[in-house]
Amino acid sequence: MSVEQAEMHNDKKSESFCVQAETRDIFTDDSLDPVYQAKARILNDALQEIGMGKYQWYLFVVAGFGWLSDNLWPIVTGLILTPVVNEFNVLGPWLKLAQNIGLLVGAASWSIASDVWGRRWAFNITLGMAGLFAIAAGGSMNYLALCSLTAVWSVGVGGNLPVDSAVFLEFVPASHQYLLTVLSVWWAFGQLLGSLVAWPLISDYSCPTTVPPSPCPRSSNEGWRYFLFAMGGLMMFLWVIRFFFFDLYESPKYLMGRGRDEQAVEVVHKVAAYNGKTSNLTLEDLQRAGKLANTTIDDGVRMDTSALAAVQRKMGMFSNNHVRSLFATRKMAWSTTILIIIWGNSASRANCLSIDQCLRVPSAFIGLAFPLYNSFVTYFLATRGANFGDGSTYITYRNQVILSVIGVPGALMAGYFVELPYLGRRGTLAIFTVLTGVFILASTTARTSNALLGWNCGYSYTSNVMYGVLYALSPELFPTKDRGTGNAIVATANRIFGIMAPIIALYANLTTSVPIWISGAIFIVTGFIALLLPFEPRGHASL
């Protein structure tokens, strides 16, 4: 029986067959292991047969906690930056540097761990780690302790997006992959939540920002500590929901990639039962697909699915096989390289609206641009407001809430834009990355506080669309067996450039417009780079 015949046992309503045909155009036969491709298509068809059900919608919620955390904590450091600097009389960029180092370690370690030991443990540990150490940071007696604990909680935060995006994508049917983009609404909610809680706590229990700075004792500046206690407690609550009230199954594609076909089939049937459905998938379907694919390739490149091979793969967990796979062909190498470049650019935003306060665009460039702008946006607004005579803590955090509210519809609209036929993922990413840079540059023309707020509202909307697409696009372009490693590479690029941003800030005058001009220019260049991506995932099932 052919692979096509094996697939016929699934529901024929599926556009999944069209999806699979299109997927062959994206990942051509020389791009991925043929055995893996054949089995992944069988699993895609099985998930499409089950459809979008209760399990996937619950997963949308608990995975959304990771998006919320990813954007919340970079914003947290931005929101507490001014009162912390006032109290300890220190250089603020050191706090951002500590955070970005932790995010770098977390992005690299948790992503690779998810490819080695599976998705479940990484998925369940990261939130609890962030919450526990954030609560501890609220009791910091000095700036060194605060920076150290910030770095540790950021290790947990750094793993959220790379792991959670892989988990969600590997359970959702192809017809609903656009929901990976819609998940960014949680990212926007994280920004909004942090801003709403910080507004009363920090504005009512903080020393005023003055030019020049005035003494600020701890007794008059407890707001940022209350804020850390509140946000850390929230993370622990979300961790309890995720760990104790939702039973995450191991990813069937991960299990298949590890040679555990029987367990992969078992998980598919569990998901079907959870949704009140049945699945026709059998172990023989996967084995038949593997045997058929093996007839077209040399023995040397067959996928060994034996128990011994699974053990050997685990023993070789730290080999560079996953990395080599991402550069195995010219087209795959080009795609991975472009993603790395884009993610690096998004690092500069990563400190204010997302992972670093905003983490998500193509790779290295954004990693630098977002931190330059977002990590210090609250400080910038305060100093600009002071120049305009309205730089009170209350107005500063009120404006931050307004910016956060504007970002919510941006995240929702991202899910609509990426499904437009002539726009897709690439077009949406390119257009809104350029627009993000334009609004950043335009903000330098503001001569009143309200004008500055208006330009930043435009920036908040477009950047949320941009990051929503970027966070969804990256895992879609990596095959499941290497997805964790691919996510780790691009997230690491983002974090490395994110580390550069606070270092630059240590030697730059943050009260001038120079960092903003640099950030805006980087975003515009990154938008054009996004057009060079060789794959368009719209309408295709991820492998």
Side-chain angles (χ1 to χ4, degrees), residues 354-483:
S354 154
I355 233 176
D356 284 283
Q357 248 188 354
C358 318
L359 143 69
R360 310 168 159 60
V361 182
S363 244
F365 280 171
I366 290 176
L368 174 61
F370 242 130
L372 280 176
Y373 184 72
N374 272 0
S375 295
F376 307 102
V377 64
T378 304
Y379 178 79
F380 179 77
L381 288 173
T383 54
R384 273 299 179 93
N387 290 338
F388 297 140
D390 58 356
S392 69
T393 302
Y394 177 87
I395 291 178
T396 296
Y397 288 95
R398 180 209 64 183
N399 290 352
Q400 184 65 27
V401 169
I402 293 173
L403 295 176
S404 301
V405 170
I406 295 296
V408 174
L412 290 172
M413 290 304 297
Y416 170 75
F417 290 135
V418 297
E419 290 299 310
L420 294 178
Y422 297 104
L423 205 56
R425 271 67 159 169
R426 275 183 307 197
T428 303
L429 178 61
I431 291 172
F432 282 91
T433 302
V434 170
L435 288 175
T436 297
V438 169
F439 279 114
I440 286 177
L441 295 178
S443 69
T444 62
T445 67
R447 294 297 177 264
T448 67
S449 182
N450 287 337
L452 181 62
L453 176 62
W455 290 120
N456 276 286
C457 284
Y459 155 81
S460 181
Y461 177 82
T462 57
S463 65
N464 272 274
V465 175
M466 173 191 71
Y467 276 112
V469 178
L470 184 60
Y471 271 121
L473 178 69
S474 299
E476 283 184 318
L477 292 182
F478 295 130
T480 296
K481 65 188 181 69
D482 307 309
R483 182 167 292 136

Side-chain angles (χ1 to χ4, degrees), residues 287-340:
Q287 293 175 338
R288 188 181 301 115
K291 290 177 182 177
L292 181 65
N294 269 331
T295 64
T296 65
I297 57 176
D298 295 333
D299 291 344
V301 294
R302 288 179 184 169
M303 177 181 173
D304 191 345
T305 59
S306 67
L308 177 60
V311 173
Q312 290 173 337
R313 282 192 289 268
K314 278 196 172 184
M315 296 302 292
M317 67 178 94
F318 297 113
S319 71
N320 62 352
N321 290 337
H322 288 296
V323 176
R324 284 204 305 266
S325 296
L326 298 174
F327 296 88
T329 67
R330 180 177 299 178
K331 206 169 184 180
M332 281 292 294
W334 180 252
S335 177
T336 302
T337 300
I338 293 298
L339 284 173
I340 292 173

Side-chain angles (χ1 to χ4, degrees), residues 56-66 168 183 186 241-242:
Q56 285 90 348
W57 285 117
Y58 286 163
L59 183 59
F60 180 88
V61 174
V62 295
F65 297 163
F168 185 76
L183 267 171
W186 287 95
I241 294 176
R242 179 183 276 191

Side-chain angles (χ1 to χ4, degrees), residues 179-203:
L179 289 175
L180 188 62
T181 301
V182 179
L183 267 171
S184 289
V185 71
W186 287 95
W187 196 64
F189 282 141
Q191 178 184 350
L192 177 59
L193 178 64
S195 300
L196 284 172
V197 176
W199 187 3
L201 289 181
I202 297 183
S203 64

Side-chain angles (χ1 to χ4, degrees), residues 109-125 163 166-167 170 248-251 254-255 258 260 314 317 484:
S109 58
W110 288 114
S111 300
I112 295 175
S114 72
D115 274 350
V116 175
W117 294 295
R119 317 297 199 217
R120 294 183 67 188
W121 282 107
F123 183 82
N124 284 322
I125 291 174
V163 174
V167 169
E170 289 161 22
L248 177 71
Y249 304 133
E250 187 54 87
S251 162
Y254 166 81
L255 292 170
R258 284 298 190 185
R260 293 148 64 181
K314 278 196 172 184
M317 67 178 94

